[in-house]
Amino acid sequence: MSDLELDPTLLEALRTLQQHDVEYVLVGDVAQAIYDHGGFVSGVAVAPASYGRNAERLNGALQAMDAELGIAGTPAVTQFDYRRMDLREIAPCSFITRHVDVDVNFDPPGTGGYRDLFDEASHVDLAPGVRPLVAAPADLERIARSGAGAPYAQPPPALPPEPDVERWPEHDIQAGRPTRT
């Protein structure tokens, strides 16, 4: 187990990801704090594996943490139901959870994503039931050097609005709803 003492809410967020079998590499402030043996950490940043089933497990873990889109306690201006979406389509994005903010980026700046980070990452025992895969220091430096600044600082961009079903005339054919005349 690590000598580093992390906030119990942060550990609970990592434990929830682990309980949902989410494959990810821990990046960002938490990963850096692990190597620096301390520091200010306000959230969790992860680079998840990008295959479909893992994105579904991540979605389930976020739901278990009562996540909503936003950052630093501020909900995103545009809210949409991420639970019905493929997270790979809206990432990078940040979520406010009942534990801590969780930043999700399938392709962190300066990297090739999970597969690239996985090779040099190592498991670190942080607490009972919490053993994340942590990006290597060189990879954390590579992300920092990418010049992207804080990759999760902005809420996700607005998505196009849903079509207004009431505007369609009854006799028009709508996707999945054939009509008879």
Side-chain angles (χ1 to χ4, degrees):
M1 189 145 68
S2 171
D3 292 335
L4 178 67
E5 289 188 36
L6 295 174
D7 185 309
T9 58
L10 190 139
L11 291 171
E12 195 55 39
L14 294 173
R15 187 175 284 113
T16 301
L17 292 170
Q18 192 161 323
Q19 289 169 343
H20 282 81
D21 296 322
V22 177
E23 292 180 46
Y24 66 93
V25 174
L26 190 60
V27 295
D29 292 344
V30 174
Q32 192 62 52
I34 289 168
Y35 291 115
D36 292 344
H37 303 288
F40 177 74
V41 178
S42 61
V44 174
V46 297
S50 63
Y51 64 92
R53 183 68 183 118
N54 195 58
E56 290 171 13
R57 290 192 296 249
L58 174 59
N59 198 316
L62 289 167
Q63 289 177 49
M65 291 186 274
D66 300 323
E68 71 175 286
L69 289 163
I71 188 166
T74 305
V77 174
T78 304
Q79 287 291 324
F80 49 89
D81 192 358
Y82 74 87
R83 296 170 297 180
R84 297 182 182 192
M85 301 185 75
D86 185 337
L87 292 175
R88 296 170 295 183
E89 294 177 11
I90 62 172
C93 53
S94 295
F95 295 89
I96 301 167
T97 75
R98 64 183 142 96
H99 304 301
V100 295
D101 287 358
V102 176
D103 300 326
V104 175
N105 193 340
F106 288 90
D107 193 20
T111 74
Y114 175 83
R115 289 179 151 221
D116 179 24
L117 297 168
F118 178 86
D119 290 336
E120 299 299 319
S122 57
H123 284 281
V124 176
D125 290 315
L126 297 176
V130 181
R131 189 173 189 255
L133 190 60
V134 181
D139 289 331
L140 294 174
E141 288 176 25
R142 190 165 38 131
I143 293 169
R145 278 194 319 265
S146 72
Y152 311 103
Q154 299 298 318
L159 294 179
E162 293 290 324
D164 186 3
V165 177
E166 293 181 15
R167 288 187 26 207
W168 290 80
E170 254 332 283
H171 64 278
D172 282 355
I173 297 177
Q174 296 178 7
R177 300 179 128 185
T179 59
R180 295 183 188 189
T181 54

